[in-house]
Amino acid sequence: TIFGTSPKLGTVQRRLISSTVDNVGRAVITPNPDLDMDQVGLPEERAFDVYSKFIVRRLRRKGLPISKALQSIKDRSPVARAALVEEMEIRPVIINLAPVLHKFGILAFHPQLVPGDTLQVSPLIVGGFGADFDGDAMQYHVPTSEDARKEAIDRLLPSKALLSPADFKTPVHMPSMEYVGGLYHATSKKSRRRT
């Protein structure tokens, strides 16, 4: 009865091994060239999900009872949204694309609230992940401890890891050929405004 008749039904599996992970999410990525190299566009609904514990703590420290804080998150009130934005400014998200084969496969970013359901990333950073925009999904994690938060900011931002460890000369994060081609075509056409 402890281990059950199936690996999924036993007490050990259900109570000890499987647990809900609150600070993690997964979303399909889409390009957003307006984002900085160190920024990622996090959908607002998903941001409320992964940052909810931190929002409750922040609202509780401001004097709101826990029940009211939870209700304001559920209602997406302006107070909860302001607390979310404050928390996102100091707490980055760590993003990875499985399988992680080297240090550029897991990086930290400053999240920005965006509409929709997809995770928006800068086209500059997809090379390190080996990602493209044909339906790839990335996992995002919110660091909980203070040490993890500081390490994400100090070591895992793309701007802190610009050069390839192979020769320490080649930049890792740069536009790929299709973006360079797009830039060329966007800037080489003659403008109708000029005479």
Side-chain angles (χ1 to χ4, degrees), residues 5-184:
T5 57
S6 150
K8 295 182 179 179
L9 300 178
T11 304
V12 172
Q13 175 68 31
R14 285 188 294 125
R15 301 283 182 208
L16 298 177
I17 298 173
S18 67
S19 62
T20 305
V21 182
D22 297 324
N23 303 339
V24 177
R26 182 178 173 90
V28 174
I29 59 167
T30 54
N32 185 347
D34 295 329
L35 290 172
D36 186 64
M37 177 190 295
D38 288 341
Q39 293 177 334
V40 67
L42 190 61
E44 190 166 339
E45 286 299 312
R46 293 173 187 257
F48 270 108
D49 291 340
V50 294
Y51 279 95
S52 60
K53 288 181 177 179
F54 306 107
I55 299 170
V56 169
R57 183 176 64 181
R58 187 172 284 272
L59 294 176
R60 182 72 185 97
R61 288 179 178 170
K62 290 182 178 180
L64 217 62
I66 291 178
S67 59
K68 294 273 178 110
L70 290 170
Q71 188 62 41
S72 67
I73 291 173
K74 189 177 179 182
D75 297 340
R76 306 296 193 245
S77 70
V79 175
R81 193 175 194 284
L84 170 64
V85 171
E86 288 174 18
E87 199 61 46
M88 288 171 59
E89 286 175 2
I90 64 162
R91 194 172 298 276
V93 291
I94 299 171
I95 293 178
N96 74 295
L97 177 66
V100 177
L101 303 174
H102 49 75
K103 74 175 192 173
F104 300 108
I106 181 164
L107 294 172
F109 297 90
H110 297 294
Q112 309 293 315
L113 291 176
V114 294
D117 294 322
T118 61
L119 190 70
Q120 298 181 10
V121 297
S122 169
L124 295 174
I125 57 96
V126 294
F129 285 107
D132 48 28
F133 301 109
D134 60 357
D136 288 9
M138 287 187 169
Q139 295 80 28
Y140 50 91
H141 318 263
V142 179
T144 304
S145 69
E146 186 62 22
D147 289 340
R149 185 187 73 81
K150 286 181 69 175
E151 185 176 5
I153 293 171
D154 294 342
R155 296 183 179 181
L156 291 178
L157 288 174
S159 60
K160 304 280 173 82
L162 290 172
L163 300 178
S164 169
D167 58 3
F168 295 105
K169 293 179 183 176
T170 310
V172 175
H173 311 295
M174 57 184 170
S176 63
M177 297 310 282
E178 58 192 45
Y179 300 110
V180 173
L183 288 171
Y184 171 76

